[in-house]
Amino acid sequence: MKNKDFSLSRRRLLVGAAALGGGAFLGMHVQQAQAASFNLLNVSYDPTRELYAEVDKAFANTWHQAHQEDSVTVKTAHGGSGAQARSVLEGVPADVVTLGLAYDIDLLAQKGLIATDWQTRLPHNSTPYTSTIVFLVRKGNPKNVKDWPDLVRDGVQVITPNPKTSGGARWNYLAAWGWALHHNNGSEDAAKTYLKSLFKHVPVLDTGARGATNSFVQRHLGDVLLAWEDEALMAARDIGPDQFDIVVPSQTILAEPPVSLVDKNVKAHGTEDVAKAYLEFLFCPEGQKIGAKHYFRPVDPAVLAEYGQVFPKVETFDVASLGGWTKLQKGHFSNGGIFDSLYR
């Protein structure tokens, strides 16, 4: 992943607000001696394939308009969020990570690849888009699924990926866990009973969220898909408007998938400044509109209002209300944790 010509770290980069190509962006005014060619690798989670395919091209075009002598190529690799984090730990040379949950980036910070204050470096705790967990059902909702209790009725099969490998699966699991706690006056025993029953209705555990979507949409497995809202909206609006409906449960979780530089790698590659600009692009109006187009909820209130008709109103709780990622990962998803005991 070395750059061909020279490192941007040898330039003087001044960042200021500017308008470019009809979309506001952080204008880059660079003093440089020669042209540069940059290659960035974004290691991302499963359901962001279409999102980052468009983001990568838009950012490269925006950068080139500001620095016509430069070229930027961004490649994005996808998979289950937990598996992706482990791949970076094992040597995949990511310049940036855009993962499904903060714990996976914290793991990289604990191992020295990322600064421990990574979540303070960008707005909204370094989360450019949010999402939530909803139900995708067959057209007409033949099993009459309306809320979490319906998932454990006789004759209902539920598709969700493996929380050991998938960030989306952990959000699905915690959405169910949080609802069960709230519905049972905070009783963890009652929540465990509900989750154990729920996973008896899961016929297969795919490794990532996109695999689970494919099992439901293409392989026709199951009656209900627990899904990122963006995956559900894509299926219901773009893939099969005559095949699927979305059910919004009475309560669900606010999913906050964050982003970060991989500090150790960008310093080695000489890509720190261009990688920072790439992540900043996600928060600018153009980047926010691309997110909304692909059914991720923008954090910019103006852009969210512009796309308000796309996103249903939902009642949500957050991870902090359940104890935070460190506690949840250790208690539920580590080897021998609550998930292992329930799934056995």
Side-chain angles (χ1 to χ4, degrees):
M1 296 300 292
K2 294 286 186 182
N3 293 307
K4 296 177 184 175
D5 296 307
F6 79 95
S7 165
L8 195 66
S9 63
R10 288 191 276 171
R11 305 177 181 188
R12 183 165 62 88
L13 182 69
L14 304 176
V15 179
L20 182 59
F25 182 50
L26 294 177
M28 303 293 174
H29 305 284
V30 180
Q31 293 179 351
Q32 65 182 57
Q34 62 187 70
S37 176
F38 298 103
N39 297 295
L40 292 182
L41 176 61
N42 172 12
V43 171
S44 194
Y45 63 110
D46 229 8
T48 61
R49 298 166 192 268
E50 295 78 14
L51 168 66
Y52 283 113
E54 184 166 351
V55 163
D56 294 351
K57 291 179 183 178
F59 171 74
N61 290 337
T62 299
W63 182 272
H64 182 65
Q65 288 177 47
H67 319 295
Q68 293 187 5
E69 63 287 328
D70 287 358
S71 66
V72 176
T73 301
V74 187
K75 294 183 178 179
T76 301
H78 301 273
S81 185
Q84 291 291 79
R86 287 192 293 275
S87 76
V88 176
L89 280 177
E90 292 166 1
V92 170
D95 297 279
V96 300
V97 287
T98 56
L99 295 179
L101 44 90
Y103 179 83
D104 290 335
I105 300 181
D106 283 337
L107 182 63
L108 301 179
Q110 291 167 15
K111 301 297 184 180
L113 294 177
I114 292 176
T116 55
D117 66 347
W118 66 269
Q119 210 158 11
T120 68
R121 299 191 295 196
L122 288 165
H124 302 283
N125 290 321
S126 294
T127 301
Y129 317 105
T130 66
S131 190
T132 189
I133 301 304
V134 298
F135 306 160
L136 188 69
V137 299
R138 307 293 175 190
K139 193 68 179 179
N141 195 5
K143 294 297 178 80
N144 196 30
V145 171
K146 297 180 179 179
D147 206 354
W148 295 102
D150 299 319
L151 303 184
V152 296
R153 291 201 325 253
D154 289 344
V156 175
Q157 284 197 327
V158 179
I159 302 300
T160 184
N162 186 345
K164 292 285 197 170
T165 56
S166 165
R170 278 174 276 180
W171 287 115
N172 293 350
Y173 175 105
L174 291 175
W177 176 263
W179 171 84
L181 285 178
H182 297 151
H183 188 70
N184 292 284
N185 298 313
S187 169
E188 288 202 0
D189 287 340
K192 289 177 184 178
T193 298
Y194 174 77
L195 265 294
K196 186 168 187 175
S197 179
L198 174 62
F199 277 96
K200 287 181 179 178
H201 290 253
V202 177
V204 61
L205 288 178
D206 288 289
T207 57
R210 180 55 59 87
T213 300
N214 289 340
S215 289
F216 185 77
V217 170
Q218 297 179 357
R219 298 171 61 198
H220 305 287
L221 298 179
D223 305 295
V224 186
L225 173 69
L226 297 186
W228 291 94
E229 181 182 51
D230 57 280
E231 286 282 278
L233 285 168
M234 180 181 68
R237 284 171 166 254
D238 300 339
I239 297 175
D242 58 342
Q243 300 178 55
F244 308 108
D245 289 324
I246 294 174
V247 174
V248 178
S250 60
Q251 267 191 327
T252 187
I253 198 163
L254 174 65
E256 299 172 289
V259 302
S260 179
L261 297 175
V262 183
D263 297 72
K264 184 176 180 180
N265 290 349
V266 294
K267 287 178 170 58
H269 301 159
T271 55
E272 184 170 7
D273 290 320
V274 70
K276 284 180 180 177
Y278 176 80
L279 294 181
E280 289 169 356
F281 179 79
L282 303 178
F283 293 87
C284 81
E286 184 180 358
Q288 290 285 285
K289 288 179 181 180
I290 293 172
K293 174 183 173 182
H294 292 282
Y295 307 123
F296 291 84
R297 291 181 181 241
V299 293
D300 183 326
V303 179
L304 181 60
E306 183 179 342
Y307 287 83
Q309 76 282 0
V310 174
F311 302 106
K313 292 183 178 180
V314 291
E315 180 182 339
T316 61
F317 49 87
D318 61 16
V319 162
S321 71
L322 301 178
W325 274 117
T326 299
K327 176 184 175 182
L328 293 167
Q329 178 68 30
K330 182 178 180 181
H332 289 264
F333 307 121
S334 61
N335 290 336
I338 292 173
F339 171 72
D340 284 347
S341 67
L342 298 177
Y343 193 63
R344 281 200 302 269

